[in-house]
Amino acid sequence: MEIKPISWQDALPLRHQVLWPNEPPAFSKVEGDEDALHYGAFLDGEIVCVASIHFSSEFTDAHNKNKNARLRKFATSQAHQGQGIGSLMLKRILTDLKQEGASIFWCDARETAMGLYERFGMHAEGERFYKGDIPYFRMSKNVENA
């Protein structure tokens, strides 16, 4: 398996297939994709997992000394779920973010995926909230402890 940077356009088909198969493909694009980092995991040349990192001002200090990274649109093809590919992707992202000097890594995690994020030292913050009918928790961790 190879994990490498990809374009936001390359991330869209798998996002659509896994996260919103009942929506039009354009629904899979999010604001800021053009400025984000995107990763793809490839098996035998096929993209099987994607993740996007958006650098957020929401948690950035006033002097912009710290980079704070938000994981968005993390998706693994159904045929490859449960094989550790998502864990390898998160490990790569956290390693890269630490080298880049990021401070906080955070995401809005689907409640069903919280165990994965907890294995990487992320902690839930606040109360459960919903996007549509899907329950989420905000989760974060200090990147220096990655």
Side-chain angles (χ1 to χ4, degrees), residues 56-73:
S56 171
S57 60
E58 183 173 347
F59 292 111
T60 303
D61 69 21
H63 301 290
N64 202 24
K65 292 179 183 174
N66 298 317
K67 292 181 183 179
N68 296 287
R70 179 181 182 187
L71 174 66
R72 299 195 74 191
K73 312 310 171 211

Side-chain angles (χ1 to χ4, degrees), residues 24-92:
F27 188 82
S28 298
K29 184 185 180 308
V30 295
E31 184 178 343
D33 266 343
E34 296 86 356
D35 300 317
L37 298 176
H38 306 276
Y39 290 85
F42 293 81
L43 282 174
D44 299 322
E46 176 189 0
I47 191 165
V48 297
C49 180
V50 296
S52 299
I53 304 298
H54 292 245
F55 290 94
S56 171
S57 60
E58 183 173 347
F59 292 111
T60 303
D61 69 21
H63 301 290
N64 202 24
K65 292 179 183 174
N66 298 317
K67 292 181 183 179
N68 296 287
R70 179 181 182 187
L71 174 66
R72 299 195 74 191
K73 312 310 171 211
F74 186 21
T76 303
S77 69
Q78 289 190 345
H80 295 91
Q81 290 177 8
Q83 298 176 20
I85 295 169
S87 292
L88 291 172
M89 177 74 80
L90 281 176
K91 183 177 180 181
R92 165 68 186 272

Side-chain angles (χ1 to χ4, degrees), residues 4 9 21 45-46 53 56 61 69 84 93 97 102 112 131 140 143:
K4 62 184 180 180
Q9 295 95 331
E46 176 189 0
I53 304 298
S56 171
D61 69 21
I93 289 169
L97 291 175
T112 57
K131 294 181 185 183
S140 70
V143 176

Side-chain angles (χ1 to χ4, degrees), residues 3 47-48 77 96 125 127:
I3 297 173
I47 191 165
V48 297
S77 69
D96 288 357
E125 301 173 357
E127 300 293 321

